[in-house]
Amino acid sequence: MRWLYQNRPVQAPRGQQPEVDPFDFGKEVAAAVDAYADKKREELEQALRRTAREALDGNYTPVDVRVSAKGLLESECMTFIAGKVTTGMGRPSRFPVNLHT
């Protein structure tokens, strides 16, 4: 939301891309974050099941399921939303924010 506030597209002339509505945009970002969290939760549950089966068989293989800001910004849902608000380019490889702010 900070990125949107600082980089909000200028209102477009008539017949062109409309200005981004911050409320709708916020809902889309929240839905994308939820989708990313659901995907990571599913990955964790699968890793736990696999680890439990392997532990019973005596063949334990470490599993790493990570949740990160970088992963979220590069997720399909977030890059789809970014493509809607960044003009003049194709779909970005990650949501355009500075990871250090």
Side-chain angles (χ1 to χ4, degrees):
M1 293 309 293
R2 177 177 38 198
W3 177 88
L4 176 64
Y5 179 77
Q6 293 173 351
N7 298 289
R8 186 172 178 161
V10 178
Q11 190 166 1
R14 237 180 227 177
Q16 294 184 5
Q17 182 179 359
E19 183 176 343
V20 175
D21 179 83
F23 181 74
D24 290 339
F25 185 76
K27 288 188 339 186
E28 289 181 15
V29 170
V33 171
D34 287 345
Y36 177 77
D38 289 344
K39 177 183 172 191
K40 289 298 179 176
R41 185 178 303 113
E42 184 178 315
E43 286 178 20
L44 178 61
E45 288 173 1
Q46 289 174 359
L48 290 172
R49 279 190 220 105
R50 187 173 53 247
T51 301
R53 281 192 308 266
E54 289 176 356
L56 291 173
D57 294 339
N59 299 326
Y60 173 72
T61 306
V63 178
D64 190 17
V65 177
R66 294 176 186 243
V67 175
S68 69
K70 183 178 185 288
L72 171 63
L73 295 175
E74 292 174 346
S75 70
E76 184 177 346
C77 294
M78 291 298 281
T79 57
F80 178 75
I81 293 169
K84 291 176 155 184
V85 296
T86 53
T87 55
M89 65 175 80
R91 188 162 164 186
S93 61
R94 73 176 182 87
F95 196 81
V97 295
N98 185 344
L99 293 173
H100 304 290
T101 59

